PDB file of all heavy atoms in Angstrom:
ATOM      1  N   GLU A  22     232.101  82.081 -42.296  1.00 98.00           N
ATOM      2  CA  GLU A  22     231.433  82.907 -43.295  1.00 98.00           C
ATOM      3  C   GLU A  22     232.109  84.191 -43.475  1.00 98.00           C
ATOM      4  O   GLU A  22     232.375  84.681 -44.570  1.00 98.00           O
ATOM      5  CB  GLU A  22     229.913  83.014 -42.918  1.00 98.00           C
ATOM      6  CG  GLU A  22     229.153  83.732 -43.998  1.00 98.00           C
ATOM      7  CD  GLU A  22     229.113  83.087 -45.380  1.00 98.00           C
ATOM      8  OE1 GLU A  22     229.184  81.853 -45.408  1.00 98.00           O
ATOM      9  OE2 GLU A  22     229.086  83.853 -46.407  1.00 98.00           O
ATOM     10  N   ALA A  23     232.463  84.858 -42.385  1.00 98.00           N
ATOM     11  CA  ALA A  23     233.104  86.154 -42.477  1.00 98.00           C
ATOM     12  C   ALA A  23     234.456  86.064 -43.156  1.00 98.00           C
ATOM     13  O   ALA A  23     234.904  87.021 -43.849  1.00 98.00           O
ATOM     14  CB  ALA A  23     233.263  86.748 -41.084  1.00 98.00           C
ATOM     15  N   ASN A  24     235.123  84.946 -42.904  1.00 98.00           N
ATOM     16  CA  ASN A  24     236.472  84.769 -43.534  1.00 98.00           C
ATOM     17  C   ASN A  24     236.467  84.691 -45.041  1.00 98.00           C
ATOM     18  O   ASN A  24     237.439  84.788 -45.708  1.00 98.00           O
ATOM     19  CB  ASN A  24     237.143  83.491 -42.943  1.00 98.00           C
ATOM     20  CG  ASN A  24     238.588  83.384 -43.202  1.00 98.00           C
ATOM     21  OD1 ASN A  24     239.394  84.380 -42.977  1.00 98.00           O
ATOM     22  ND2 ASN A  24     239.020  82.302 -43.704  1.00 98.00           N
ATOM     23  N   ARG A  25     235.239  84.558 -45.590  1.00 98.00           N
ATOM     24  CA  ARG A  25     235.093  84.441 -47.092  1.00 98.00           C
ATOM     25  C   ARG A  25     234.881  85.905 -47.706  1.00 98.00           C
ATOM     26  O   ARG A  25     234.829  85.965 -48.894  1.00 98.00           O
ATOM     27  CB  ARG A  25     233.896  83.602 -47.475  1.00 98.00           C
ATOM     28  CG  ARG A  25     234.086  82.112 -47.067  1.00 98.00           C
ATOM     29  CD  ARG A  25     232.905  81.309 -47.532  1.00 98.00           C
ATOM     30  NE  ARG A  25     233.041  79.989 -47.112  1.00 98.00           N
ATOM     31  CZ  ARG A  25     232.152  79.293 -46.334  1.00 98.00           C
ATOM     32  NH1 ARG A  25     231.041  79.910 -45.867  1.00 98.00           N
ATOM     33  NH2 ARG A  25     232.407  78.065 -45.924  1.00 98.00           N
ATOM     34  N   SER A  26     234.858  86.890 -46.886  1.00 97.00           N
ATOM     35  CA  SER A  26     234.615  88.252 -47.337  1.00 97.00           C
ATOM     36  C   SER A  26     235.864  88.828 -48.026  1.00 97.00           C
ATOM     37  O   SER A  26     236.921  88.256 -48.008  1.00 97.00           O
ATOM     38  CB  SER A  26     234.155  89.135 -46.245  1.00 97.00           C
ATOM     39  OG  SER A  26     235.276  89.566 -45.472  1.00 97.00           O
ATOM     40  N   ASP A  27     235.649  90.064 -48.593  1.00 97.00           N
ATOM     41  CA  ASP A  27     236.732  90.732 -49.241  1.00 97.00           C
ATOM     42  C   ASP A  27     237.832  91.206 -48.167  1.00 97.00           C
ATOM     43  O   ASP A  27     238.951  91.387 -48.604  1.00 97.00           O
ATOM     44  CB  ASP A  27     236.297  91.918 -49.997  1.00 97.00           C
ATOM     45  CG  ASP A  27     235.504  91.511 -51.276  1.00 97.00           C
ATOM     46  OD1 ASP A  27     235.645  90.365 -51.755  1.00 97.00           O
ATOM     47  OD2 ASP A  27     234.617  92.301 -51.731  1.00 97.00           O
ATOM     48  N   ASP A  28     237.358  91.389 -47.000  1.00 98.00           N
ATOM     49  CA  ASP A  28     238.262  91.875 -45.939  1.00 98.00           C
ATOM     50  C   ASP A  28     238.107  90.776 -44.813  1.00 98.00           C
ATOM     51  O   ASP A  28     237.457  91.001 -43.834  1.00 98.00           O
ATOM     52  CB  ASP A  28     237.891  93.170 -45.438  1.00 98.00           C
ATOM     53  CG  ASP A  28     238.703  93.655 -44.213  1.00 98.00           C
ATOM     54  OD1 ASP A  28     239.801  93.040 -43.889  1.00 98.00           O
ATOM     55  OD2 ASP A  28     238.241  94.615 -43.501  1.00 98.00           O
ATOM     56  N   PRO A  29     238.804  89.573 -44.932  1.00 98.00           N
ATOM     57  CA  PRO A  29     238.563  88.536 -43.976  1.00 98.00           C
ATOM     58  C   PRO A  29     238.837  88.927 -42.541  1.00 98.00           C
ATOM     59  O   PRO A  29     238.061  88.722 -41.626  1.00 98.00           O
ATOM     60  CB  PRO A  29     239.382  87.367 -44.397  1.00 98.00           C
ATOM     61  CG  PRO A  29     239.934  87.801 -45.728  1.00 98.00           C
ATOM     62  CD  PRO A  29     239.708  89.299 -45.987  1.00 98.00           C
ATOM     63  N   GLN A  30     240.013  89.603 -42.303  1.00 98.00           N
ATOM     64  CA  GLN A  30     240.378  89.915 -40.978  1.00 98.00           C
ATOM     65  C   GLN A  30     239.394  90.906 -40.296  1.00 98.00           C
ATOM     66  O   GLN A  30     238.944  90.710 -39.182  1.00 98.00           O
ATOM     67  CB  GLN A  30     241.794  90.522 -40.849  1.00 98.00           C
ATOM     68  CG  GLN A  30     242.161  90.763 -39.414  1.00 98.00           C
ATOM     69  CD  GLN A  30     243.610  91.225 -39.242  1.00 98.00           C
ATOM     70  OE1 GLN A  30     244.241  91.675 -40.169  1.00 98.00           O
ATOM     71  NE2 GLN A  30     244.096  91.100 -38.044  1.00 98.00           N
ATOM     72  N   GLY A  31     238.930  91.899 -41.121  1.00 98.00           N
ATOM     73  CA  GLY A  31     238.004  92.914 -40.601  1.00 98.00           C
ATOM     74  C   GLY A  31     236.645  92.284 -40.276  1.00 98.00           C
ATOM     75  O   GLY A  31     236.017  92.538 -39.201  1.00 98.00           O
ATOM     76  N   ALA A  32     236.227  91.457 -41.196  1.00 98.00           N
ATOM     77  CA  ALA A  32     234.862  90.760 -41.034  1.00 98.00           C
ATOM     78  C   ALA A  32     234.934  89.747 -39.907  1.00 98.00           C
ATOM     79  O   ALA A  32     234.023  89.720 -39.035  1.00 98.00           O
ATOM     80  CB  ALA A  32     234.454  90.030 -42.335  1.00 98.00           C
ATOM     81  N   VAL A  33     236.011  88.975 -39.694  1.00 98.00           N
ATOM     82  CA  VAL A  33     236.099  88.089 -38.595  1.00 98.00           C
ATOM     83  C   VAL A  33     236.181  88.874 -37.248  1.00 98.00           C
ATOM     84  O   VAL A  33     235.615  88.491 -36.237  1.00 98.00           O
ATOM     85  CB  VAL A  33     237.288  87.087 -38.784  1.00 98.00           C
ATOM     86  CG1 VAL A  33     237.528  86.290 -37.484  1.00 98.00           C
ATOM     87  CG2 VAL A  33     237.018  86.139 -39.959  1.00 98.00           C
ATOM     88  N   LEU A  34     236.889  90.058 -37.287  1.00 98.00           N
ATOM     89  CA  LEU A  34     237.025  90.840 -36.065  1.00 98.00           C
ATOM     90  C   LEU A  34     235.623  91.370 -35.609  1.00 98.00           C
ATOM     91  O   LEU A  34     235.329  91.386 -34.466  1.00 98.00           O
ATOM     92  CB  LEU A  34     237.964  92.035 -36.323  1.00 98.00           C
ATOM     93  CG  LEU A  34     238.293  92.888 -35.118  1.00 98.00           C
ATOM     94  CD1 LEU A  34     239.085  92.125 -34.038  1.00 98.00           C
ATOM     95  CD2 LEU A  34     239.047  94.097 -35.597  1.00 98.00           C
ATOM     96  N   GLU A  35     234.790  91.670 -36.604  1.00 98.00           N
ATOM     97  CA  GLU A  35     233.380  92.098 -36.223  1.00 98.00           C
ATOM     98  C   GLU A  35     232.686  90.981 -35.589  1.00 98.00           C
ATOM     99  O   GLU A  35     231.978  91.198 -34.548  1.00 98.00           O
ATOM    100  CB  GLU A  35     232.650  92.564 -37.476  1.00 98.00           C
ATOM    101  CG  GLU A  35     233.149  93.870 -38.009  1.00 98.00           C
ATOM    102  CD  GLU A  35     232.343  94.307 -39.279  1.00 98.00           C
ATOM    103  OE1 GLU A  35     231.220  93.830 -39.386  1.00 98.00           O
ATOM    104  OE2 GLU A  35     232.881  95.073 -40.075  1.00 98.00           O
ATOM    105  N   VAL A  36     232.800  89.764 -36.030  1.00 98.00           N
ATOM    106  CA  VAL A  36     232.188  88.597 -35.358  1.00 98.00           C
ATOM    107  C   VAL A  36     232.656  88.452 -33.980  1.00 98.00           C
ATOM    108  O   VAL A  36     231.982  88.182 -33.024  1.00 98.00           O
ATOM    109  CB  VAL A  36     232.333  87.337 -36.171  1.00 98.00           C
ATOM    110  CG1 VAL A  36     231.792  86.080 -35.500  1.00 98.00           C
ATOM    111  CG2 VAL A  36     231.681  87.512 -37.591  1.00 98.00           C
ATOM    112  N   LEU A  37     233.985  88.488 -33.891  1.00 98.00           N
ATOM    113  CA  LEU A  37     234.618  88.296 -32.568  1.00 98.00           C
ATOM    114  C   LEU A  37     234.274  89.445 -31.544  1.00 98.00           C
ATOM    115  O   LEU A  37     233.921  89.154 -30.432  1.00 98.00           O
ATOM    116  CB  LEU A  37     236.183  88.323 -32.688  1.00 98.00           C
ATOM    117  CG  LEU A  37     236.980  88.146 -31.405  1.00 98.00           C
ATOM    118  CD1 LEU A  37     236.654  86.780 -30.786  1.00 98.00           C
ATOM    119  CD2 LEU A  37     238.484  88.212 -31.752  1.00 98.00           C
ATOM    120  N   ALA A  38     234.149  90.713 -32.044  1.00 98.00           N
ATOM    121  CA  ALA A  38     233.692  91.812 -31.211  1.00 98.00           C
ATOM    122  C   ALA A  38     232.321  91.654 -30.650  1.00 98.00           C
ATOM    123  O   ALA A  38     232.044  91.912 -29.521  1.00 98.00           O
ATOM    124  CB  ALA A  38     233.918  93.125 -31.987  1.00 98.00           C
ATOM    125  N   ARG A  39     231.415  91.132 -31.557  1.00 98.00           N
ATOM    126  CA  ARG A  39     230.063  90.799 -31.116  1.00 98.00           C
ATOM    127  C   ARG A  39     230.098  89.822 -29.973  1.00 98.00           C
ATOM    128  O   ARG A  39     229.336  89.976 -28.963  1.00 98.00           O
ATOM    129  CB  ARG A  39     229.132  90.363 -32.375  1.00 98.00           C
ATOM    130  CG  ARG A  39     228.637  91.427 -33.187  1.00 98.00           C
ATOM    131  CD  ARG A  39     227.474  91.013 -34.109  1.00 98.00           C
ATOM    132  NE  ARG A  39     227.819  89.805 -34.842  1.00 98.00           N
ATOM    133  CZ  ARG A  39     228.391  89.785 -36.065  1.00 98.00           C
ATOM    134  NH1 ARG A  39     228.682  90.921 -36.661  1.00 98.00           N
ATOM    135  NH2 ARG A  39     228.522  88.616 -36.683  1.00 98.00           N
ATOM    136  N   ALA A  40     230.814  88.766 -30.177  1.00 97.00           N
ATOM    137  CA  ALA A  40     230.845  87.762 -29.137  1.00 97.00           C
ATOM    138  C   ALA A  40     231.466  88.230 -27.922  1.00 97.00           C
ATOM    139  O   ALA A  40     230.995  87.897 -26.766  1.00 97.00           O
ATOM    140  CB  ALA A  40     231.699  86.479 -29.671  1.00 97.00           C
ATOM    141  N   MET A  41     232.533  89.053 -28.012  1.00 97.00           N
ATOM    142  CA  MET A  41     233.151  89.595 -26.784  1.00 97.00           C
ATOM    143  C   MET A  41     232.380  90.681 -26.074  1.00 97.00           C
ATOM    144  O   MET A  41     232.677  91.110 -24.943  1.00 97.00           O
ATOM    145  CB  MET A  41     234.580  90.145 -27.158  1.00 97.00           C
ATOM    146  CG  MET A  41     235.553  89.128 -27.502  1.00 97.00           C
ATOM    147  SD  MET A  41     235.837  87.961 -26.073  1.00 97.00           S
ATOM    148  CE  MET A  41     236.341  86.562 -27.095  1.00 97.00           C
ATOM    149  N   SER A  42     231.260  91.149 -26.778  1.00 97.00           N
ATOM    150  CA  SER A  42     230.456  92.200 -26.059  1.00 97.00           C
ATOM    151  C   SER A  42     229.667  91.521 -24.868  1.00 97.00           C
ATOM    152  O   SER A  42     229.108  92.283 -24.042  1.00 97.00           O
ATOM    153  CB  SER A  42     229.488  92.806 -27.067  1.00 97.00           C
ATOM    154  OG  SER A  42     228.539  91.865 -27.497  1.00 97.00           O
ATOM    155  N   HIS A  43     229.721  90.244 -24.826  1.00 95.00           N
ATOM    156  CA  HIS A  43     229.066  89.435 -23.743  1.00 95.00           C
ATOM    157  C   HIS A  43     230.110  88.411 -23.256  1.00 95.00           C
ATOM    158  O   HIS A  43     229.909  87.188 -23.396  1.00 95.00           O
ATOM    159  CB  HIS A  43     227.798  88.760 -24.100  1.00 95.00           C
ATOM    160  CG  HIS A  43     226.838  89.707 -24.724  1.00 95.00           C
ATOM    161  ND1 HIS A  43     226.086  90.560 -23.948  1.00 95.00           N
ATOM    162  CD2 HIS A  43     226.441  89.937 -26.001  1.00 95.00           C
ATOM    163  CE1 HIS A  43     225.275  91.242 -24.716  1.00 95.00           C
ATOM    164  NE2 HIS A  43     225.474  90.914 -25.934  1.00 95.00           N
ATOM    165  N   PRO A  44     231.237  88.865 -22.616  1.00 95.00           N
ATOM    166  CA  PRO A  44     232.320  87.855 -22.265  1.00 95.00           C
ATOM    167  C   PRO A  44     231.746  86.848 -21.228  1.00 95.00           C
ATOM    168  O   PRO A  44     232.319  85.737 -21.259  1.00 95.00           O
ATOM    169  CB  PRO A  44     233.399  88.739 -21.664  1.00 95.00           C
ATOM    170  CG  PRO A  44     232.747  90.091 -21.297  1.00 95.00           C
ATOM    171  CD  PRO A  44     231.560  90.212 -22.273  1.00 95.00           C
ATOM    172  N   ALA A  45     230.826  87.188 -20.413  1.00 94.00           N
ATOM    173  CA  ALA A  45     230.320  86.237 -19.442  1.00 94.00           C
ATOM    174  C   ALA A  45     229.629  85.022 -20.163  1.00 94.00           C
ATOM    175  O   ALA A  45     229.737  83.907 -19.668  1.00 94.00           O
ATOM    176  CB  ALA A  45     229.309  86.809 -18.464  1.00 94.00           C
ATOM    177  N   ASP A  46     229.053  85.226 -21.320  1.00 94.00           N
ATOM    178  CA  ASP A  46     228.382  84.189 -22.067  1.00 94.00           C
ATOM    179  C   ASP A  46     229.534  83.203 -22.638  1.00 94.00           C
ATOM    180  O   ASP A  46     229.360  81.999 -22.593  1.00 94.00           O
ATOM    181  CB  ASP A  46     227.619  84.681 -23.224  1.00 94.00           C
ATOM    182  CG  ASP A  46     226.381  85.503 -22.784  1.00 94.00           C
ATOM    183  OD1 ASP A  46     225.977  85.322 -21.627  1.00 94.00           O
ATOM    184  OD2 ASP A  46     225.775  86.142 -23.612  1.00 94.00           O
ATOM    185  N   LEU A  47     230.605  83.743 -23.109  1.00 94.00           N
ATOM    186  CA  LEU A  47     231.799  82.944 -23.489  1.00 94.00           C
ATOM    187  C   LEU A  47     232.370  82.177 -22.336  1.00 94.00           C
ATOM    188  O   LEU A  47     232.744  80.946 -22.503  1.00 94.00           O
ATOM    189  CB  LEU A  47     232.828  83.771 -24.193  1.00 94.00           C
ATOM    190  CG  LEU A  47     232.466  84.214 -25.656  1.00 94.00           C
ATOM    191  CD1 LEU A  47     233.430  85.231 -26.113  1.00 94.00           C
ATOM    192  CD2 LEU A  47     232.503  83.008 -26.602  1.00 94.00           C
ATOM    193  N   LEU A  48     232.526  82.754 -21.200  1.00 94.00           N
ATOM    194  CA  LEU A  48     233.012  82.141 -20.010  1.00 94.00           C
ATOM    195  C   LEU A  48     232.133  80.961 -19.678  1.00 94.00           C
ATOM    196  O   LEU A  48     232.634  79.902 -19.380  1.00 94.00           O
ATOM    197  CB  LEU A  48     233.135  83.131 -18.870  1.00 94.00           C
ATOM    198  CG  LEU A  48     233.794  82.601 -17.607  1.00 94.00           C
ATOM    199  CD1 LEU A  48     235.251  82.095 -17.875  1.00 94.00           C
ATOM    200  CD2 LEU A  48     233.798  83.626 -16.551  1.00 94.00           C
ATOM    201  N   THR A  49     230.832  81.179 -19.800  1.00 94.00           N
ATOM    202  CA  THR A  49     229.942  80.015 -19.437  1.00 94.00           C
ATOM    203  C   THR A  49     230.039  78.915 -20.463  1.00 94.00           C
ATOM    204  O   THR A  49     230.067  77.736 -20.146  1.00 94.00           O
ATOM    205  CB  THR A  49     228.451  80.562 -19.455  1.00 94.00           C
ATOM    206  OG1 THR A  49     228.352  81.548 -18.415  1.00 94.00           O
ATOM    207  CG2 THR A  49     227.466  79.456 -19.204  1.00 94.00           C
ATOM    208  N   ALA A  50     230.152  79.252 -21.800  1.00 94.00           N
ATOM    209  CA  ALA A  50     230.274  78.299 -22.853  1.00 94.00           C
ATOM    210  C   ALA A  50     231.582  77.535 -22.779  1.00 94.00           C
ATOM    211  O   ALA A  50     231.614  76.315 -23.074  1.00 94.00           O
ATOM    212  CB  ALA A  50     230.057  79.007 -24.203  1.00 94.00           C
ATOM    213  N   LEU A  51     232.697  78.212 -22.494  1.00 95.00           N
ATOM    214  CA  LEU A  51     233.998  77.578 -22.560  1.00 95.00           C
ATOM    215  C   LEU A  51     234.478  77.126 -21.192  1.00 95.00           C
ATOM    216  O   LEU A  51     235.480  76.296 -21.118  1.00 95.00           O
ATOM    217  CB  LEU A  51     234.979  78.668 -23.122  1.00 95.00           C
ATOM    218  CG  LEU A  51     234.768  79.029 -24.541  1.00 95.00           C
ATOM    219  CD1 LEU A  51     235.628  80.206 -24.945  1.00 95.00           C
ATOM    220  CD2 LEU A  51     234.979  77.833 -25.520  1.00 95.00           C
ATOM    221  N   GLY A  52     233.990  77.669 -20.135  1.00 94.00           N
ATOM    222  CA  GLY A  52     234.394  77.298 -18.777  1.00 94.00           C
ATOM    223  C   GLY A  52     235.549  78.194 -18.293  1.00 94.00           C
ATOM    224  O   GLY A  52     236.246  78.791 -19.155  1.00 94.00           O
ATOM    225  N   ASN A  53     235.676  78.277 -16.989  1.00 95.00           N
ATOM    226  CA  ASN A  53     236.708  79.078 -16.456  1.00 95.00           C
ATOM    227  C   ASN A  53     238.057  78.405 -16.622  1.00 95.00           C
ATOM    228  O   ASN A  53     238.196  77.214 -16.256  1.00 95.00           O
ATOM    229  CB  ASN A  53     236.450  79.301 -14.940  1.00 95.00           C
ATOM    230  CG  ASN A  53     237.083  80.505 -14.406  1.00 95.00           C
ATOM    231  OD1 ASN A  53     237.627  81.319 -15.073  1.00 95.00           O
ATOM    232  ND2 ASN A  53     237.062  80.672 -13.093  1.00 95.00           N
TER     233      ASN A  53
END
């Protein structure tokens, strides 16, 4: 959805930054 914005890279970076604010959650979801 963010990639459809007027600034795709910036909008996708915001989504990624939100996810990375909890790196342990990603580690749990993706595995070590």
Side-chain angles (χ1 to χ4, degrees):
E22 182 62 32
N24 195 48
R25 295 184 184 119
S26 79
D27 291 337
D28 175 18
Q30 184 175 20
V33 171
L34 185 65
E35 288 179 25
V36 173
L37 182 60
R39 279 195 309 271
M41 289 300 154
S42 68
H43 303 286
D46 292 346
L47 283 169
L48 184 60
T49 299
L51 296 168
N53 204 11

